[in-house]
Amino acid sequence: MAKEEDLIDDAIEEAIEETEEPTVVHLEEELAAKADQNLRLQAEIQNLRGRQARELADARQYASIDLMRDILPAVDNIDRAIEAAGDAPDAASLVEGFKLVRQQLVTTLAQYGCNEIAAEGEVFDPDLHHAILQQPSVDVPAGVVMMVTQTGYQLHDRVVRAAQVIVSAGPEGAGNIADARGPGDPTA
């Protein structure tokens, strides 16, 4: 009977050893998987925090864009008044007053990062300029802004309002704006 008990004890020990090893291995694998999952979740949280910080900074930087859009028509009207008053001989003081008010508004806009878009004499850029007309010109090369009809403004690097411009087509029959952009321009 001792032999039978020894055989039973041996069988029990083997069974215990067989069940313990897979359990430990299984637990180690599960622990490694959970650790990996934890690292991935931490990375995802970091990415989320970074994205939210960028979005918040962007929202702060461009929060005043609606204000800029509301102020710009007043600046345009002042420009028109200055132009109209410039034709009247007795309006010198009125023109000077309008110029001062306009300068004050433009300075205020600049303090908030809103600046005029350079246009006249510049190469036509569809991201900054809105062409309302294309005219032939012997003096101005094709694709260059000849005249600004409405000043454009940019808040930091974002266009608030594109400049309305008249673009040169070059000498009579030389082409159009699409030709002036060049073959490498993706907007062509």
Side-chain angles (χ1 to χ4, degrees), residues 1 8 12 18 40-41 60-61 66-67 73-74 82 84 91 94 115 138 148 159 171 183:
M1 212 159 162
I8 292 173
I12 291 173
E18 287 176 8
R40 290 178 189 274
L41 288 173
R60 284 182 183 152
Q61 185 175 14
D66 290 331
L67 171 68
I82 291 169
L94 181 64
N115 296 298
V138 180
V148 177
V159 174

Side-chain angles (χ1 to χ4, degrees), residues 90-154:
D90 60 340
S93 63
L94 181 64
V95 171
E96 192 58 35
F98 270 116
K99 285 181 179 179
L100 289 173
V101 172
R102 183 194 186 282
Q103 185 57 45
Q104 184 181 13
L105 279 171
V106 170
T107 301
T108 301
L109 289 171
Q111 286 175 347
Y112 287 92
C114 185
N115 296 298
E116 293 183 11
I117 295 173
E120 194 163 336
E122 300 288 325
V123 174
F124 176 77
D125 181 350
D127 293 331
L128 301 175
H129 308 128
H130 175 76
I132 58 170
L133 187 65
Q134 189 174 16
Q135 282 183 295
S137 173
V138 180
D139 301 328
V140 181
V144 174
V145 175
M146 295 173 46
M147 183 176 160
V148 177
T149 60
Q150 186 178 49
T151 305
Y153 291 87
Q154 200 169 5

Side-chain angles (χ1 to χ4, degrees), residues 11-180:
I12 291 173
E13 285 179 21
E14 284 179 28
I16 290 172
E17 287 176 8
E18 287 176 8
T19 57
E20 284 180 6
E21 287 181 0
T23 303
V24 171
V25 170
H26 176 69
L27 290 175
E28 288 174 349
E29 289 174 357
E30 190 175 324
L31 180 63
K34 293 295 181 184
D36 183 58
Q37 183 182 15
N38 185 25
L39 284 174
R40 290 178 189 274
L41 288 173
Q42 286 177 351
E44 190 174 330
I45 289 170
Q46 267 316 92
N47 290 339
L48 180 62
R49 285 182 181 154
R51 185 170 47 249
Q52 285 178 334
R54 285 189 302 275
E55 288 173 359
L56 182 60
D58 195 46
R60 284 182 183 152
Q61 185 175 14
Y62 297 107
S64 59
I65 198 163
D66 290 331
L67 171 68
M68 305 303 161
R69 287 186 176 132
D70 291 342
I71 289 176
L72 293 177
V75 174
D76 294 337
N77 288 334
I78 290 172
D79 286 341
R80 290 183 193 102
I82 291 169
E83 189 177 320
D87 296 337
D90 60 340
S93 63
L94 181 64
V95 171
E96 192 58 35
F98 270 116
K99 285 181 179 179
L100 289 173
V101 172
R102 183 194 186 282
Q103 185 57 45
Q104 184 181 13
L105 279 171
V106 170
T107 301
T108 301
L109 289 171
Q111 286 175 347
Y112 287 92
C114 185
N115 296 298
E116 293 183 11
I117 295 173
E120 194 163 336
E122 300 288 325
V123 174
F124 176 77
D125 181 350
D127 293 331
L128 301 175
H129 308 128
H130 175 76
I132 58 170
L133 187 65
Q134 189 174 16
Q135 282 183 295
S137 173
V138 180
D139 301 328
V140 181
V144 174
V145 175
M146 295 173 46
M147 183 176 160
V148 177
T149 60
Q150 186 178 49
T151 305
Y153 291 87
Q154 200 169 5
L155 180 59
H156 305 290
D157 61 345
R158 194 173 288 176
V159 174
V160 175
R161 180 181 72 193
Q164 288 186 0
V165 297
I166 297 174
V167 181
S168 172
E172 190 79 34
N176 61 29
I177 293 172
D179 296 338

